[in-house]
């Protein structure tokens, strides 16, 4: 499954290439998944969610996973620069996106089945859901990006316009002005459901825990919850002028007692909030909820916290966040830019070190806090420029590299500077 699998492989894995030299942030598994999924395309134009089997149960067709597949194609291209695979699967991307566009309601929203993550109150229900439509929007944006990269200007322009139209309908019809968030969507009347869909007779295993649906308001509009806010922010359908309000709403909600994949999306928004307390909250969540998994003799990641499969990629994403956010090493995309951002979020840690894999090569980093001052060691691969952001001790401080003060600028709670390739030892010296 991607997400979250590629996040982990690109920050932790390498494998030998054809010449025997290591390929860092190896995207070949992702590429094969993209190809295999394209081969599963059905006569109606949708691709299967489970492609390494012949299963055609409730999980064979999952609209949001088809969106993940299209988004994964962009992630693959931005990570590798490879257009050959994108060209190979492009006709299926077009069919999948047209499948969605053919299922727009009179309101301009896509009718499809919500899933996204367990715990979503609209999970498995076919509707004009806020979660699904946020994912379709981002898939349209990414399909347009890929079409332009291939030189297929007409479908790219069509998908770009469809994304704008969907965003307009979404932000006009689903915006909850009173609460500063989004409604959950519109319940689709039976007579408007696609052929063969019956929301009242879904075949669920008896042990599945389905949350209650949101309350229905006027005109079949479904009340807001934490999930539409989370998905709208993650899929970037929230206009800039609304992001602060939606983020405030999201972070003010009581703990929804989330199941495992909620955290994958939620932590990204907590790190974006850029507050030390949020950094600590994420580390505490890892310590508490992943404790049993980490201490298990199986040495595997699990599908859930104590239930479900005990060998599943859903539980692996803390490895990504520890590398990309706690140690703080993230490539700027596309990878052709040859740039990194290094911005640690240490929470309550006083030291942290490791090697973060990037497409440019491994990046060893270490951070150590002593007497309120932070020291660091960073090794940047050849040919790569890096934006370094180091947490400030208190209200200020000076950035010291190789024993000498260097020019830096304030960036919120960080001091920021630019670094070239090589080994860099430094510290923040407190102002007196």
């Amino acid at each position: 499954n991607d997400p979250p699998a590629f996040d982990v492989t690109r920050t932790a894995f390498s494998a030998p290439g054809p010449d025997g030299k290591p390929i860092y942030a190896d995207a070949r598994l992702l590429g094969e998944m993209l190809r295999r999924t394209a081969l599963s395309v059905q006569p109606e134009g949708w691709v299967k969610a489970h492609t390494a089997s012949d299963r055609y149960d409730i999980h064979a067709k999952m609209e949001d996973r088809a969106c993940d597949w299209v988004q994964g194609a962009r992630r693959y291209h931005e990570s590798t620069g490879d257009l050959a695979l994108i060209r190979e699967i492009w006709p299926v991307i077009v069919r999948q996106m047209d499948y969605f566009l053919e299922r727009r309601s009179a309101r301009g929203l896509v009718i499809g089945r919500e899933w996204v993550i367990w715990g979503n109150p609209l999970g498995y229900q076919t509707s004009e859901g806020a979660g699904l439509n946020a994912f379709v929007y981002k898939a349209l944006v990414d399909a347009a990006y890929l079409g332009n990269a291939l030189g297929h200007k007409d479908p790219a322009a069509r998908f770009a316009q469809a994304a704008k139209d969907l965003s307009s309908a979404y932000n006009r019809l689903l915006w909850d002005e009173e609460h500063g968030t989004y409604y959950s969507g519109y319940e689709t009347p039976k007579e408007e459901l696609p052929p063969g869909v019956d929301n009242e007779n879904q075949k669920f295993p008896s042990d599945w825990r389905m949350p209650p649906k949101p309350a229905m308001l006027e005109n079949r509009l479904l009340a807001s919850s934490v999930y539409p806010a989370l998905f709208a922010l993650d899929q970037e359908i929230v206009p800039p002028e609304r992001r602060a309000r939606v983020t405030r709403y999201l972070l003010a909600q009581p703990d929804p007692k989330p199941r495992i994949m909620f955290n994958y999306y939620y932590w990204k928004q907590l790190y974006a909030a850029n507050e030390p307390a949020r950094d600590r909250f994420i580390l505490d969540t890892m310590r508490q909820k992943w404790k049993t998994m980490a201490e298990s003799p199986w040495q595997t990641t699990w599908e859930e916290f104590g239930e479900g499969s005990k060998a599943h990629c859903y539980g692996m994403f803390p490895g990504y966040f520890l590398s990309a956010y706690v140690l703080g090493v993230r490539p700027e995309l596309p990878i052709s830019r040859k740039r990194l951002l290094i911005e640690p979020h240490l929470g309550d840690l006083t030291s942290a070190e490791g090697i973060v894999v990037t497409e440019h090569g491994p990046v060893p980093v270490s951070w150590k806090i002593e007497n309120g001052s932070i020291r660091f060691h960073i090794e940047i691969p050849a040919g790569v420029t890096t934006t370094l952001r180091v947490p400030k001790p208190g209200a200020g401080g000076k950035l010291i590299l190789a024993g000498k003060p260097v020019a830096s600028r304030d960036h919120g709670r960080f001091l920021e500077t630019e670094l070239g390739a090589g080994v860099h030892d430094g510290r923040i010296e407190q102002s007196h």
Side-chain angles (χ1 to χ4, degrees), residues 351-362:
S351 66
E353 63 180 298
I355 300 174
V356 182
V357 173
T358 75
E359 288 84 347
H360 308 296

Side-chain angles (χ1 to χ4, degrees), residues 9-10 12-28 79-80 357-362:
T9 60
R10 76 183 308 182
F13 288 9
S14 68
D19 58 0
K21 295 180 180 179
I23 296 176
Y24 295 105
D26 189 356
R28 287 175 293 179
S79 177
T80 65
V357 173
T358 75
E359 288 84 347
H360 308 296

Side-chain angles (χ1 to χ4, degrees), residues 27-42:
R28 287 175 293 179
L29 279 175
L30 175 62
E32 287 306 305
M33 182 275 286
L34 295 170
R35 175 179 286 113
R36 187 181 69 237
T37 302
L39 293 172
S40 77
V41 65
Q42 303 297 298

Side-chain angles (χ1 to χ4, degrees), residues 93-275:
I93 291 176
V94 172
R95 291 184 66 186
Q96 178 64 71
M97 298 321 300
D98 283 340
Y99 172 89
F100 286 128
L101 296 180
E102 290 164 3
R103 283 157 178 78
R104 284 176 291 188
S105 70
R107 280 183 280 259
L109 300 172
V110 174
I111 299 174
R113 195 176 63 177
E114 285 271 324
W115 161 244
V116 190
I117 54 173
W118 296 315
N120 179 5
L122 278 183
Y124 292 99
Q125 297 294 305
T126 298
S127 64
E128 296 165 69
L132 174 65
N133 275 270
F135 275 75
V136 172
Y137 162 79
K138 184 61 165 60
L140 285 165
V141 170
D142 289 351
Y145 170 92
L146 293 170
N148 283 320
L150 290 169
H152 295 303
K153 303 299 183 183
D154 288 344
R158 184 162 61 85
F159 293 145
Q161 185 60 52
K164 291 180 182 178
D165 293 343
L166 181 55
S167 176
S168 177
Y170 192 101
N171 281 287
R172 184 178 72 256
L173 298 169
L174 297 181
W175 177 243
D176 180 352
E177 173 63 27
E178 179 182 356
H179 299 102
T181 186
Y182 291 91
Y183 296 111
S184 294
Y186 285 91
E187 182 173 271
T188 305
K190 289 183 179 180
E191 60 272 16
E192 295 180 20
L193 290 172
V197 175
D198 183 353
N199 279 332
E200 295 180 0
N201 293 293
Q202 295 274 21
K203 302 298 183 184
F204 301 124
S206 59
D207 60 345
W208 283 12
R209 295 179 284 115
M210 302 302 293
K213 288 175 59 176
M216 188 182 297
L217 309 175
E218 294 182 4
N219 300 319
R220 308 187 79 89
L221 187 65
L222 297 166
S224 56
S225 79
V226 68
Y227 290 88
L230 182 63
F231 300 141
L233 287 165
D234 183 76
Q235 298 295 294
E236 301 174 352
I237 198 170
V238 183
E241 64 273 15
R242 287 181 176 170
R243 282 197 66 89
R245 285 195 70 191
V246 179
T247 299
R248 282 198 301 272
Y249 170 87
L250 174 68
L251 300 184
Q253 297 312 297
D255 184 354
K257 301 196 177 344
R259 297 173 72 174
I260 197 164
M261 275 295 284
F262 179 94
N263 295 279
Y264 172 77
Y265 298 99
Y266 190 47
W267 291 355
K268 287 190 281 183
Q269 299 310 317
L270 293 185
Y271 279 126
N274 202 14
E275 300 169 1

